[in-house]
Amino acid sequence: MESARAGQIASARKIAESALVAGGDIVALNAFLGMVCARAGDLRGAVRHLAAAHKERPADVTIACNLIAASIELGELEAAIKVATPELAFSDPSLRVARYRGFVAQALERFDDAAAAYEHVVASAPDDFESWNNLGNARTAQGDAPGSVVALERAIALDPSAAPTRLNLAAALRAADRFRDSETVLRRAATDFPDDARPLHELYVQLKGEGEHEAALPIIEEAVRRDPDNASLQLKLGVEYGLVRNTELAELAFRRAIAIDPVLSDAYLGLCIQYEHTNRESELAPLIALGRSNGLDAGTMAFMQAMDHRRAKRFDEGLAILDQVPADIEPERTAHIRATLLDRLGRSDEAFAWFSVTNNLHAEGLTAPLPRATELRDELRSDLHLLTPDWVGGWSAANPEPVRPDPVFLVGFPRSGTTLLDTILMGHPDTVVLEEQPPLNHVDKAAGHLAGLAALSDTDIVRLRKQYYDEVAAIEPLPDTKLLVDKSPLFLHKVPLIQRLFPNARFILALRHPCDVLLSCYMSNFRLNSAMSNFLRLEDVAEFYDLTFQLWEKSTSLFPVKMHTIVYERLVDNVEAEVRPLFDFLGLSWNVAALDHQRTAKSRGLITTASYSQVTEPIYKRAAGRWERYRSHLEPIFPVLEPWVEKFGYKL
């Protein structure tokens, strides 16, 4: 013992081992050797000697605790809990064994045992903050959310300065379905610990889980401000900026994440998606080179190379490299890339199978897209039932004077050529084109949707028009001299609202062969809002198309709609011949530069629709009639489509 006190560990060990051989006290010498071996870093030796001492004197708490601690350090948790028996734990007045038992049981996911151990501790030591905290976590894991909340609230009362306990309480409150209380705890923790990003990160995750995307963005922004060197937070910030279409800030956040963690694969994938949507796929090659120099994993490298091969039309090479992409890297997008490559190679049946894989993966997602799609179709049926001549005839006579010319609305079922059309219209100097932005949807909500239109007064209409124009102006400058074109394909559903607010509005209807439209919708990788969720199954997209045009036809029969139709097949065959009459209809002077849609597309930045990869190419005709290659897959929905095929002048 004098040698050990003097720091002469090797000498102390040698003396004790000699004494043990000479027949000295087995318990005392083994217990001492266990301590000495542990100090020397020989954990195996420590456990061997301590186990020998424990065998001889199993009720000795100090020996047992030293043996448990050495076993934990070795990672031998099962051995540790065999020492920390309930009998020893609950008979130890120091409570050390019970604390160890709770810790080890929790690590082994034996949560009932852990909770029992911690309950024993706090019953005897009610001011033990740490055990109350651990008891709360054990109860959460047991599924006892109310009991967890009680324990964690007690822990916080004992030590309000422990930030992690606040996070544990928030998790317990969520488990108890007390989401608002959880949010309150996290917001208070964020205030009480102004340099700590963790409460904000937890709040961000909670808000995202509740679908509160707009509220989540400022939270993750503040978290990054507090902890700018956290690559995971920078990554999440990049994702959020991408969702709100702020591509410049999204790219900056992804780049910062890579600078902090050069092998953070999701940051590279985020940049790939930004480049794809902003017509900058030429920047994939430098990104691939950066990933290679940083030692990025082979799977992410293969995914990026597949995207680059697709951009360069190296379709066979793209297919080959996709085989090296692991199943857990962007599974939906990987399947979709494979499908598009097969389609471009003319391997139609294989392509359709992979488009189906993509959609099935989307359908299994956490956002419940199929029920949301069904709900929207049900809403359309309700609108059809409400929209009758008698109902429209009973509307109030409100019709205040407009303060500026009414907008033009560019509509058409998705994938009917509306993005090509809006790009051409963007190229005209006398237009402002709004591409799939929310102002009209916000106004629709403020008006009470379709049912609220009948009772609108002049004051209501003036207020709703102002709201619409104010929201438009916040997105795009809107000079009085320019024609506003509001493009959103499914404003096909909003004709009554538009006619109520803007009776002089004009409509551009984009038409395309229904089979090509539905096939293209099925094959596109849309962000899944309620409308796009209808494109995951052919029977759903056919029903959605049918309901959409039923509503359009009924609306145009009840209102004096001013409309000009653009036929996709004629547009791609002769752009000028199709566009000149449109410009005349809109009162726009002829401007040949507007036909250079590639120049316009490349200068417009983010393209928010599924057509981002096509509108930067020369106008091509390969998509017209593509459905013929997939006829056998489409035949089950022909009965739904046939009336519309005939009505719009096409054939099956």
Side-chain angles (χ1 to χ4, degrees), residues 131 140 281 503:
S131 291
T140 297
E281 288 184 289

Side-chain angles (χ1 to χ4, degrees), residues 99 118 122 127-137 155 158:
R99 290 187 178 98
Y118 290 130
V122 299
D127 292 338
D128 184 342
F129 147 78
E130 201 165 47
S131 291
W132 278 112
N133 177 74
N134 293 342
L135 174 58
N137 292 337
L158 289 168

Side-chain angles (χ1 to χ4, degrees), residues 503-565:
N504 296 314
R506 287 165 290 178
F507 289 81
I508 306 167
L509 174 64
L511 283 182
R512 183 183 178 190
H513 195 300
C515 291
D516 271 329
V517 168
L518 269 63
L519 176 66
S520 189
C521 287
Y522 186 75
M523 293 165 66
S524 294
N525 202 18
F526 290 103
R527 184 179 295 167
L528 293 179
N529 58 24
S530 295
M532 304 303 107
S533 296
N534 283 277
F535 301 158
L536 300 179
R537 300 188 302 196
L538 278 179
E539 62 270 29
D540 289 351
V541 67
E543 183 181 9
F544 188 50
Y545 186 94
D546 180 53
L547 288 167
T548 294
F549 276 104
Q550 282 190 56
L551 192 57
W552 168 261
E553 290 287 306
K554 199 165 190 181
S555 297
T556 55
S557 71
L558 292 172
F559 301 99
V561 173
K562 303 176 182 69
M563 176 180 61
H564 183 90
T565 300

Side-chain angles (χ1 to χ4, degrees), residues 317-604:
E317 292 93 328
L319 276 179
I321 199 75
L322 275 179
D323 291 334
Q324 300 177 32
V325 179
D328 61 344
I329 290 182
E330 294 285 336
E332 295 92 342
R333 197 173 293 272
T334 298
H336 189 260
I337 292 171
R338 187 182 296 277
T340 57
L341 292 169
L342 289 164
D343 176 68
R344 294 300 297 275
L345 288 167
R347 294 161 61 177
S348 303
D349 289 340
E350 293 171 86
F352 190 86
W354 278 100
F355 283 123
S356 299
V357 168
T358 305
N359 290 348
N360 289 337
L361 288 170
H362 281 307
E364 294 165 2
L366 299 177
T367 61
L370 296 181
R372 288 189 291 123
T374 300
E375 184 179 347
L376 178 57
R377 295 196 303 276
D378 289 342
E379 288 175 11
L380 295 184
R381 288 189 189 89
S382 296
D383 286 351
L384 278 166
H385 180 73
L386 178 61
L387 196 59
T388 64
D390 287 344
W391 181 69
V392 173
W395 285 11
S396 67
N399 185 18
E401 284 295 317
V403 296
R404 58 165 293 139
D406 286 349
V408 173
F409 292 90
L410 172 51
V411 300
F413 205 79
R415 312 298 292 147
S416 294
T418 54
T419 302
L420 174 57
L421 266 176
D422 79 34
T423 306
I424 290 171
L425 288 166
M426 280 181 191
H428 196 288
D430 295 334
T431 65
V432 171
V433 179
L434 208 63
E435 186 192 37
E436 300 192 26
Q437 295 288 346
L440 190 70
N441 288 325
H442 291 166
V443 168
D444 184 33
K445 182 178 180 181
H449 302 295
L450 184 64
L453 299 182
L456 292 182
S457 66
D458 283 352
T459 302
D460 294 328
I461 292 174
V462 168
R463 172 178 52 83
L464 293 169
R465 287 176 181 171
K466 183 178 186 305
Q467 178 184 344
Y468 174 79
Y469 286 124
D470 286 348
E471 292 198 28
V472 170
I475 299 167
E476 292 280 352
L478 188 58
D480 291 339
T481 57
K482 292 202 174 188
L483 179 68
L484 172 61
V485 179
D486 192 342
K487 174 263 182 139
S488 196
L490 290 175
F491 284 171
L492 283 164
H493 302 154
K494 307 294 185 189
V495 175
L497 170 69
I498 293 169
Q499 288 292 133
R500 187 63 157 149
L501 299 184
F502 307 110
N504 296 314
R506 287 165 290 178
F507 289 81
I508 306 167
L509 174 64
L511 283 182
R512 183 183 178 190
H513 195 300
C515 291
D516 271 329
V517 168
L518 269 63
L519 176 66
S520 189
C521 287
Y522 186 75
M523 293 165 66
S524 294
N525 202 18
F526 290 103
R527 184 179 295 167
L528 293 179
N529 58 24
S530 295
M532 304 303 107
S533 296
N534 283 277
F535 301 158
L536 300 179
R537 300 188 302 196
L538 278 179
E539 62 270 29
D540 289 351
V541 67
E543 183 181 9
F544 188 50
Y545 186 94
D546 180 53
L547 288 167
T548 294
F549 276 104
Q550 282 190 56
L551 192 57
W552 168 261
E553 290 287 306
K554 199 165 190 181
S555 297
T556 55
S557 71
L558 292 172
F559 301 99
V561 173
K562 303 176 182 69
M563 176 180 61
H564 183 90
T565 300
I566 294 287
V567 176
Y568 174 81
E569 291 81 2
R570 294 203 301 257
L571 180 66
V572 298
D573 186 59
N574 189 330
V575 179
E576 181 174 341
E578 192 72 358
V579 170
R580 270 189 180 274
L582 172 62
F583 280 18
D584 291 340
F585 170 72
L586 298 177
L588 295 171
S589 61
W590 178 243
N591 187 292
V592 70
L595 301 186
D596 189 357
H597 74 286
Q598 288 178 276
R599 174 189 58 80
T600 304
K602 288 174 181 176
S603 66
R604 67 187 280 191

